[in-house]
Amino acid sequence: MTNFTELFTLGFKDLCSVIPPQAELVEGSKIDERYLGKAPGIRRADGKWRGDQNFLKRKITFEICTAWDKTGANVGLLAKRFPGLDIDVLDKELSDFIADEARQFLGAAPVRVGKAPKQLLMYRLEGDPFGKNLLTFTAPDGVEHKIEVLADGQQYVIHGTHPEGHSYAFDECSAETLTTVSGTKMLDFMDHIIPALQ
């Protein structure tokens, strides 16, 4: 999967345009350049980028996707209907352990990798939308890590260029093949994983 239109045809219609790294921002932009590659935004006709305050409300069409494919934007997916379990852990063994626990508890999930061994597991919403949840913990080696449930009001990049210059990797799938989860189930997993991290 390489672009907006391909993802749209696979059922991922909750997409948003994300400003790519090295983009030139409009004069006076309040977007912190550290978030280029991750922040929603639109390229103007002059080639400069602005933030997109309507990214959560915009109704996406195939025509919009076709236009966005010509801009070089990163592809973002809204987390409201496609919640993600973001394992923000740079210890590979620990990251893989959490991912394995999640798949056993929540079900099979494709993975999106930005900066390995960090990884994000993708699911599809069942039931009512829910808000994000963040768990911060300190590993035995003293390093602080995070696990975050990305949900309503958020988005995550599934294709494009990472701020550090390499490409995001995303297991190919269609929207309808994703395992469904409820907000309660996701929060239950967060409660479940805490003892295993101590």
Side-chain angles (χ1 to χ4, degrees):
M1 285 170 278
T2 59
N3 55 33
F4 287 95
T5 52
E6 290 180 8
L7 288 162
F8 186 87
T9 58
L10 288 170
F12 294 102
K13 299 183 179 180
D14 298 1
L15 301 170
C16 67
S17 169
V18 173
I19 303 173
Q22 310 305 320
E24 182 180 0
L25 297 173
V26 297
E27 185 176 351
S29 174
K30 296 180 180 179
I31 295 175
D32 190 321
E33 292 190 0
R34 292 177 299 172
Y35 295 106
L36 295 184
K38 296 183 177 182
I42 301 294
R43 193 180 78 176
R44 302 191 316 182
D46 63 3
K48 296 181 181 181
W49 292 78
R50 63 170 177 80
D52 183 8
Q53 297 181 341
N54 296 318
F55 76 97
L56 294 172
K57 301 176 181 178
R58 183 173 285 104
K59 182 171 177 58
I60 305 304
T61 64
F62 187 83
E63 289 71 28
I64 288 175
C65 289
T66 300
W68 282 351
D69 277 333
K70 299 175 182 177
T71 67
N74 279 359
V75 182
L77 180 66
L78 303 189
K80 179 177 181 178
R81 293 197 313 120
F82 297 100
L85 183 70
D86 190 11
I87 304 171
D88 192 359
V89 175
L90 282 171
D91 179 299
K92 185 178 188 312
E93 184 176 349
L94 181 57
S95 179
D96 288 343
F97 168 76
I98 295 168
D100 289 343
E101 285 288 308
R103 288 189 175 99
Q104 291 182 38
F105 193 94
L106 299 169
V111 64
R112 185 233 60 190
V113 176
K115 181 178 180 180
K118 295 181 180 181
Q119 54 189 309
L120 181 145
L121 303 183
M122 297 172 58
Y123 292 94
R124 183 161 50 91
L125 178 68
E126 177 182 71
D128 295 329
F130 60 96
K132 70 176 182 178
N133 187 269
L134 174 65
L135 169 64
T136 301
F137 66 97
T138 302
D141 61 3
V143 177
E144 186 174 271
H145 302 284
K146 294 186 295 184
I147 306 172
E148 185 174 9
V149 175
L150 302 178
D152 193 8
Q154 297 176 284
Q155 60 84 26
Y156 51 90
V157 177
I158 56 175
H159 175 76
T161 304
H162 189 273
E164 294 186 4
H166 54 272
S167 296
Y168 283 93
F170 168 38
D171 290 342
E172 292 195 16
C173 63
S174 65
E176 66 178 16
T177 62
L178 293 177
T179 299
T180 57
V181 295
S182 65
T184 299
K185 188 73 171 178
M186 291 290 272
L187 295 181
D188 285 348
F189 170 73
M190 298 291 265
D191 289 336
H192 161 81
I193 197 64
I194 292 174
L197 299 173
Q198 298 174 342

